[in-house]
Amino acid sequence: LLIMNICLIGFGSIGKIYYDLIKKNFNFSNFYIVDNSIKFEKKIKNIYFFNKIENIPNKKNITHAIIATPSNLHFDLAKFFIKNRVNILIEKPFVLKSTDAKKLINMSSKIDRKCWVVFQNRTNKSIEFLKKLIANNFFGDITLIRGSLIWSRDFNYYNSKWRGKYSTDGGVLTNQSIHMLDIIYYLFGKITHFNSLAQFNKNKLEAEDLILINALLKDKTPVSICATTRANKDFTVELDLIGSKNRLTLNGISMNKISFFDDKYKKTYGTSYNEEFKKGFGKGHIIVLRSFFSKSKKDIFNLSIEKNDHIINFINSVYANIDINNKKLFKVKKTNSILGK
């Protein structure tokens, strides 16, 4: 039996999800939960609560760590665990800065341990099914990928010391739409070129709450992305794939369903690839945890940080060139064009 001394850093909304899943589904020798802002009173067998990592009496015995803190803390915590040769699972984004991503990848490559980022939507049945369709040339030549995230995040959500600030978390691009960016990368490869436009609600958050991106993949496939948290509720995340042969749309609150645009395909493939998700984080965390805690070193969903720095680089490239003041927009006027004089 694998001896596991697990350390969960961060006991916020996502940290509590990990806590419940681990407590109910896995055998462990010790389970340490660390959070500096909550007082813990309950005593549970083999589960211990601490305000600081330093207070854990047997730090050197930790075998697995899950980092679910504010994003700006990921880098230093990951460094600490890498130096102590601990397997690490880091919530997205695994770091904020491209330079930190490179440093962490270099450090983790020197130890024989897992250092993974959580992209749980890769485990969706719809995504696995879509991968098979792509491999079987279902679409032919893909001529357009259109992504759209329409969610809601209100003033209460951003009423914290870290959410919605560029120094600690970023905006809708870094936080909510990162899963859509991930699935585009996971299925189709790297984005190489782009332009972007952002808008803000400074009464709600410092960072952007709406972003529009036009981009090209390495093979020149065009990608159009719209992401916002301005809606009155969480509606959907869509990925519309248009090919020379067929078209379909990934949708649902977290790309957990597939819509075909021809009835014969629905009849052919059925609906076994669709799942019901009540919340945007979906159901994939348990699958990621099973793989992470496994003795096997297999990285089934390619979650190792060395395979996922492109998303960090892309986000930083967008933020470095974002059109905050609309200076790169053209004014509409009476003018000559390729249509003639």
Side-chain angles (χ1 to χ4, degrees):
L1 193 68
L2 180 64
I3 296 173
M4 292 200 299
N5 292 304
I6 303 167
C7 183
L8 169 63
I9 316 293
F11 203 60
S13 55
I14 197 67
K16 289 182 173 68
I17 290 169
Y18 286 117
Y19 173 75
D20 289 336
L21 288 173
I22 292 168
K23 190 171 65 168
K24 292 175 184 176
N25 296 282
F26 298 96
N27 294 316
F28 49 82
S29 301
N30 296 288
F31 188 9
Y32 308 114
I33 294 90
V34 181
D35 193 291
N36 63 4
S37 62
I38 300 176
K39 291 181 180 178
F40 304 102
E41 297 175 358
K42 257 187 173 182
K43 289 187 177 180
I44 307 169
K45 186 180 179 182
N46 295 343
I47 299 178
Y48 310 92
F49 298 96
F50 299 95
N51 293 119
K52 296 179 181 179
I53 296 177
E54 292 76 17
N55 295 341
I56 299 174
N58 301 308
K59 291 187 291 294
K60 291 183 178 179
N61 293 331
I62 295 171
T63 59
H64 297 78
I66 299 165
I67 300 173
T69 63
S71 305
N72 63 310
L73 303 178
H74 291 181
F75 177 61
D76 286 337
L77 286 168
K79 280 201 305 181
F80 170 82
F81 287 115
I82 288 172
K83 287 177 181 176
N84 287 280
R85 304 182 67 81
V86 176
N87 295 291
I88 316 168
L89 185 64
I90 314 172
E91 261 299 320
K92 56 76 186 169
F94 71 89
V95 290
L96 289 176
K97 302 174 187 176
S98 292
T99 50
D100 286 348
K102 187 175 181 180
K103 289 175 186 174
L104 215 57
I105 288 167
N106 287 338
M107 287 181 67
S108 65
S109 67
K110 295 172 184 174
I111 64 169
D112 185 25
R113 298 291 185 274
K114 295 173 183 175
C115 189
W116 291 3
V117 58
V118 181
F119 283 131
Q120 74 276 6
N121 286 336
R122 294 184 183 186
T123 73
N124 290 0
K125 290 180 180 178
S126 56
I127 303 301
E128 293 185 324
F129 177 72
L130 184 51
K131 281 195 81 175
K132 292 176 183 176
L133 290 181
I134 294 167
N136 293 331
N137 198 32
F138 172 84
F139 295 97
D141 294 326
I142 293 180
T143 54
L144 174 63
I145 300 168
R146 181 188 61 83
S148 174
L149 179 141
I150 311 295
W151 277 6
S152 174
R153 293 294 181 270
D154 60 15
F155 294 90
N156 291 329
Y157 177 84
Y158 292 109
N159 187 24
S160 70
K161 294 179 181 178
W162 66 279
R163 291 190 187 278
K165 295 178 175 65
Y166 283 122
S167 62
T168 51
D169 188 44
V172 66
L173 177 66
T174 310
N175 199 311
Q176 288 77 28
S177 70
I178 192 170
H179 288 296
M180 179 171 60
L181 297 174
D182 168 57
I183 293 304
I184 292 171
Y185 169 61
Y186 184 57
L187 295 176
F188 303 107
K190 294 180 180 180
I191 289 173
T192 58
H193 296 81
F194 70 92
N195 59 37
S196 61
L197 171 68
Q199 288 193 344
F200 301 78
N201 181 347
K202 291 296 186 181
N203 293 322
K204 187 168 70 171
L205 72 162
E206 173 195 291
E208 84 289 345
D209 69 338
L210 182 146
I211 194 157
L212 306 172
I213 298 172
N214 295 313
L216 291 174
L217 299 179
K218 191 174 182 180
D219 64 1
K220 307 301 181 188
T221 301
V223 179
S224 173
I225 294 169
C226 168
T228 186
T229 54
R230 290 181 174 182
N232 63 318
K233 66 176 184 177
D234 288 354
F235 283 98
T236 187
V237 184
E238 286 190 352
L239 207 56
D240 195 7
L241 307 176
I242 301 169
S244 57
K245 290 182 180 179
N246 293 302
R247 175 192 173 197
L248 64 73
T249 300
L250 268 174
N251 51 29
I253 196 168
S254 197
M255 297 173 288
N256 46 297
K257 297 184 178 182
I258 289 180
S259 297
F260 287 99
F261 289 88
D262 190 317
D263 285 340
K264 76 175 183 179
Y265 294 114
K266 283 184 183 176
K267 290 175 184 176
T268 301
Y269 294 106
T271 57
S272 61
Y273 42 78
N274 287 345
E275 298 173 273
E276 292 296 330
F277 289 176
K278 291 182 179 179
K279 295 186 178 180
F281 52 75
K283 297 179 179 177
H285 286 93
I286 184 65
I287 301 172
V288 171
L289 285 172
R290 284 189 188 118
S291 187
F292 176 62
F293 289 141
S294 168
K295 285 183 180 180
S296 171
K297 294 179 182 178
K298 264 192 174 181
D299 184 7
I300 301 169
F301 299 102
N302 293 325
L303 295 173
S304 66
I305 61 170
E306 66 184 20
K307 296 175 183 175
N308 291 288
D309 62 331
H310 173 71
I311 295 171
I312 306 299
N313 295 336
F314 174 70
I315 288 170
N316 277 272
S317 295
V318 172
Y319 281 153
N321 295 280
I322 208 165
D323 189 8
I324 292 174
N325 299 312
N326 300 344
K327 291 181 179 179
K328 299 174 186 175
L329 298 182
F330 296 102
K331 188 175 181 180
V332 176
K333 59 183 179 180
K334 184 179 179 180
T335 185
N336 300 330
S337 72
I338 55 174
L339 298 174
K341 292 184 180 180

